[in-house]
Amino acid sequence: MQRFRAGDSVRTRAANPEGHTRLPRYLCDRRGTIEAVHGLYPLPDERALGVGVASCTKEMLYTVVFDSGEVWREGTSEPASISADLWDSYLEPEQAR
Amino acid sequence: MKGEQGHDHDHHDHEAHAESASMASRVGALIANLESKGIVSGAELDAAVEAFLVGTQRAGGPALVARAWVDPAFRGRLLADANGALAELGIDMTHWAHVKVRAVENTDRVHNVIVCTLCSCYPVALLGPSPTWYKSLAYRSRVVREPRAVLAEFGLALDPNIEVRVWDSTAELRYVVLPRRPDGTEALGEAELALLVTRDALIGTAVCRAETGPLREAVR
């Protein structure tokens, strides 16, 4: 169930689903690093459709850190990062470079 | 609550005001329906709101920070397991919902700031009800895009070498910033230190300053 560990490189999915999701659009298709692992949490994409907590899918929740320069695709000399808490199905492994 | 003070309206405040007026009429219609169908009474609603506000008046953020400043072992536990540290101080996080809290620490190299870009998630039990600007589209969209510019508008000019970490509360976790203890506060006790800890410092749009504390005269 736990696909990633702290330090792993991941890429957020590019899909733009019609329904509710808690992957912010500005973080779609971006490379990030797993910073923390929080355990299983109900998937909000299903909860928003009225599926109860007990019966909805639980997925591993991760804190993922993104470099702000990469998120906005512009270079800057001033260091900044953005972190978001993202469910497993929002993420894919990023190939090592 | 700038928009409610009335005399410094700019364009954004007009938008926020129209938005809250529209929301107020929708809430009013919803309450009228709930009451007319006998689902909830006005007295029950008042009691629920009052219980919520009483709970948040005991918001424990400043006490939490002051303890972390004077007790390094507690600081370590706070950063590793904030819920456990909150329980030690008797701070109840369950009156709203069970949430996992995470404290993120400012250092001489890192400054943290909190936002919820998707809605307005906020550690209510620690900080009390959130300020209007925290829920504004302007803050939510800009602080991830240009955090240094936003912080400068709050009066916080950061050294260019300090890394800004923006925490977007997209899930069930709630974040609180552990600010740096200001220089010149070595003589202060825990209760006095807590008075230096502002709401904005816990969100990360301000830092704690010895000279702005309400106890300045008493201490000198």
Side-chain angles (χ1 to χ4, degrees), chain B residues 137-175:
Chain B
L137 194 56
Y139 177 75
R140 290 159 48 212
S141 55
R142 289 186 57 219
V143 79
V144 288
R145 185 72 179 85
E146 44 176 4
R148 286 171 201 276
V150 172
L151 294 177
E153 289 171 29
F154 276 95
L156 181 56
L158 290 178
D159 184 293
N161 295 316
I162 288 184
E163 179 188 346
V164 179
R165 290 186 188 160
V166 183
W167 298 84
D168 190 353
S169 320
T170 48
E172 267 59 53
L173 274 74
R174 294 294 172 270
Y175 290 88

Side-chain angles (χ1 to χ4, degrees), chain A residues 24-81:
Chain A
R25 298 305 195 271
Y26 77 92
L27 290 177
C28 283
D29 194 17
R30 293 294 189 274
R31 190 177 69 95
T33 305
I34 301 289
E35 193 254 0
V37 185
H38 298 294
L40 294 171
Y41 279 78
L43 186 64
D45 309 47
E46 281 186 22
R47 294 279 292 128
L49 299 173
V51 181
V53 172
S55 50
C56 83
T57 303
K58 315 294 189 299
E59 286 187 3
M60 199 61 81
L61 184 72
Y62 303 94
T63 298
V64 185
V65 184
F66 302 86
D67 178 84
S68 298
E70 283 191 37
V71 168
W72 304 115
R73 297 188 166 143
E74 59 190 23
T76 170
S77 59
E78 299 181 337
S81 68

